[in-house]
Amino acid sequence: MKLNFCLLIMLPLILSCAKAPKADSFKVMPHGYYRQLLLEERFQELENIQATANKAYISSKVSDAIYIDVFGTLWFTSDHKSDLIESKLKMWLEEFPESAFAYSALGRYYYRRGQYHRGNKWASQTSESSFKKLYADLELANTLVVKALEIDPDLIRAYDTSIGISIYSKGNNAEEAFELLLKGVKHTQNDFPLWHTYMHGLKPRWGGSYFSMEEMLKLAQRESLITESTHRQMKGYIIADKVNRANAKKKYELAESLAREHIDSGYYGLYMELANAYSYQKKYQECYDVVKQFSDNYQYYYDYQKRMGWCSLRLEKWDEAKHAFTRYIQMTGGNAWSFFNLGKAYGYLDNYPAAYTLLIHSAKIDPSYSDSIKGYIDHILDEKPNTRELELSKLGL
């Protein structure tokens, strides 16, 4: 009887350990999987998964896609509009007060929320109030990730966030960011996320230059501070930004040529920019083929979903367009354009209640869409006169 009682006491621990995955069992999970674990307050599972994934990642046993999936998908960008995720992350920390993963996750949330408030515009186009929100969140984030690294000095996600905090903090503390980068790369064979975050701060948009980015990569290679794979991808990262600017200037043929010339760098963002260049030139099949390669493994890179939705729609791949636009709206909150196109996809799939709901909603967001939806709405009501709006939640939105 005494033995059985002891087993009962040990059972929760035994079960929690049993749920820890093996490194070779990791795969990119269905969309929203880790976010759902958080919302369901399955904190022990998250602890086990992140502990195993971090250990596997720093020894190069899992891919960058797995790292992003496990650590970067606990919430959508649209979640920053409410405090739901913040409250769940705080509950995780309360339940596991000595968890480096809980501290790191909450710190990352504040870091990303600060960026959300700051936006992606040039500094001269960003309001003072947006900067105040950014700096307030970065201060909260810094306290938490410092604590995370005190508990677990091998936690790569915390180094990643710390580097970003230094870059985005008032004055762009590049020297501190570089010191954190050097410290972080000593703990991992997979240095891609750390260099990726650091190089972001050297982009022209944030006050740097392509020259400074290229010189940094030369220094890093000369001093053996960067792996060969990451060095190659960071060269692709520079090209991706140049392609992005060419696309923005409507120099689509130049953008396509530049991207294709350097596509062997393996940087996933360069494929996205190539897809954009194809799409802008109405090369929808080429766009679709490029995005299809990466949209499953990098399903939370919402620009992939946006481009997959559009090119699928143009190719009359209605079901793929529906799935892509749904994910895009789930992650970003959506805009009139995305609701309109999701509505069209549902319409071509003969789901008239869903199409009607989404088309009407697009015009509610932006009244200028009223003329665009009229023909579609008239057709739906001709086919199904009793069609009424549904709750968006019934469509997973």
Side-chain angles (χ1 to χ4, degrees):
M1 191 71 176
K2 193 180 235 181
L3 179 59
N4 289 340
F5 180 72
C6 290
L7 284 172
L8 285 172
I9 292 176
M10 292 295 292
L11 188 58
L13 179 60
I14 293 169
L15 290 175
S16 68
C17 291
K19 292 176 183 176
K22 295 180 180 179
D24 59 4
S25 70
F26 275 108
K27 61 182 180 180
V28 174
M29 300 302 288
H31 193 255
Y33 177 80
Y34 293 113
R35 179 177 180 271
Q36 194 60 37
L37 289 186
L38 179 65
L39 293 177
E40 292 175 2
E41 301 170 18
R42 293 158 66 180
F43 305 134
Q44 183 65 68
E45 286 183 60
L46 287 171
E47 286 279 323
N48 293 337
I49 291 166
Q50 291 201 353
T52 305
N54 185 67
K55 186 175 180 180
Y57 187 72
I58 62 179
S59 57
S60 294
K61 292 180 180 178
V62 296
S63 66
D64 294 326
I66 295 297
Y67 170 85
I68 293 170
D69 195 39
V70 172
F71 290 97
T73 64
L74 291 175
W75 60 84
F76 300 146
T77 300
S78 57
D79 285 320
H80 291 304
K81 296 176 182 178
S82 75
D83 61 0
L84 176 61
I85 294 296
E86 180 184 11
S87 67
K88 295 296 182 181
L89 291 170
K90 286 181 176 179
M91 288 175 65
W92 181 4
L93 187 55
E94 288 172 6
E95 190 169 325
F96 294 87
E98 295 302 317
S99 166
F101 304 106
Y103 275 107
S104 177
L106 184 56
R108 185 74 178 190
Y109 175 81
Y110 288 132
Y111 165 69
R112 295 298 293 172
R113 190 178 72 177
Q115 290 180 309
Y116 172 78
H117 289 308
R118 188 251 184 261
N120 290 316
K121 294 181 179 179
W122 295 82
S124 60
Q125 300 172 326
T126 304
S127 68
E128 185 177 344
S129 63
S130 294
F131 276 116
K132 284 183 178 179
K133 289 177 181 178
L134 167 65
Y135 297 142
D137 273 342
L138 292 183
E139 189 173 342
L140 290 172
N142 188 60
T143 301
L144 291 159
V145 295
V146 166
K147 180 65 175 177
L149 287 171
E150 287 176 0
I151 298 170
D152 185 354
D154 288 331
L155 184 49
I156 298 307
R157 189 61 164 180
Y159 283 112
D160 186 351
T161 306
S162 292
I163 293 167
I165 291 170
S166 295
I167 289 170
Y168 283 100
S169 292
K170 196 176 295 184
N172 186 340
N173 197 334
E175 185 176 338
E176 180 182 84
F178 188 62
E179 290 175 0
L180 286 165
L181 169 67
L182 294 181
K183 188 175 181 180
V185 297
K186 292 178 182 178
H187 292 263
T188 180
Q189 295 176 32
N190 260 335
D191 55 351
F192 170 78
L194 306 184
W195 274 102
H196 191 241
T197 299
Y198 177 75
M199 291 290 284
H200 185 75
L202 299 183
K203 288 169 68 172
R205 176 177 291 271
W206 309 116
S209 66
Y210 294 133
F211 177 78
S212 62
M213 296 173 81
E214 289 160 357
E215 287 300 302
M216 176 54 69
L217 288 182
K218 289 178 184 177
L219 170 66
Q221 187 176 46
R222 187 168 61 248
E223 300 295 328
S224 300
L225 302 175
I226 189 170
T227 62
E228 184 178 341
S229 172
T230 297
H231 182 266
R232 183 174 64 252
Q233 289 189 73
M234 289 301 95
K235 290 181 74 173
Y237 179 64
I238 296 172
I239 298 299
D241 196 64
K242 291 181 179 180
V243 175
N244 175 273
R245 295 179 78 173
N247 277 329
K249 294 176 181 177
K250 299 183 179 181
K251 297 180 179 180
Y252 305 133
E253 291 183 1
L254 172 63
E256 177 190 338
S257 175
L258 190 57
R260 291 179 63 177
E261 182 182 350
H262 297 275
I263 204 69
D264 288 343
S265 69
Y267 176 60
Y268 64 89
L270 185 54
Y271 286 85
M272 183 67 252
E273 294 301 338
L274 175 58
N276 285 337
Y278 281 140
S279 177
Y280 294 140
Q281 297 175 84
K282 299 183 180 180
K283 297 179 179 180
Y284 298 120
Q285 186 63 55
E286 290 89 337
C287 168
Y288 174 87
D289 291 342
V290 169
V291 177
K292 186 66 174 176
Q293 295 180 57
F294 283 82
S295 60
D296 289 334
N297 281 347
Y298 293 95
Q299 56 184 316
Y300 294 88
Y301 190 8
Y302 56 76
D303 281 343
Y304 270 123
Q305 302 301 337
K306 177 182 178 181
R307 197 54 59 194
M308 171 60 87
W310 177 245
C311 291
S312 296
L313 198 66
R314 305 303 293 179
L315 294 171
E316 299 184 3
K317 297 178 183 289
W318 313 127
D319 198 55
E320 290 189 71
K322 181 193 76 174
H323 285 296
F325 278 122
T326 296
R327 288 181 175 183
Y328 177 77
I329 293 170
Q330 286 173 338
M331 289 187 286
T332 65
N335 52 21
W337 177 85
S338 54
F339 277 100
F340 173 70
N341 283 300
L342 179 56
K344 285 169 63 177
Y346 269 110
Y348 288 122
L349 290 166
D350 295 329
N351 188 331
Y352 291 136
Y356 181 85
T357 299
L358 293 159
L359 292 167
I360 292 293
H361 190 72
S362 71
K364 288 179 181 177
I365 296 173
D366 183 349
S368 69
Y369 274 76
S370 297
D371 290 338
S372 300
I373 70 172
K374 188 177 185 307
Y376 295 105
I377 295 298
D378 289 346
H379 173 74
I380 290 170
L381 294 178
D382 284 343
E383 293 290 320
K384 299 286 183 180
N386 296 322
T387 301
R388 296 290 182 270
E389 285 187 71
L390 303 172
E391 294 290 331
L392 288 175
S393 58
K394 292 185 178 180
L395 302 175
L397 304 173

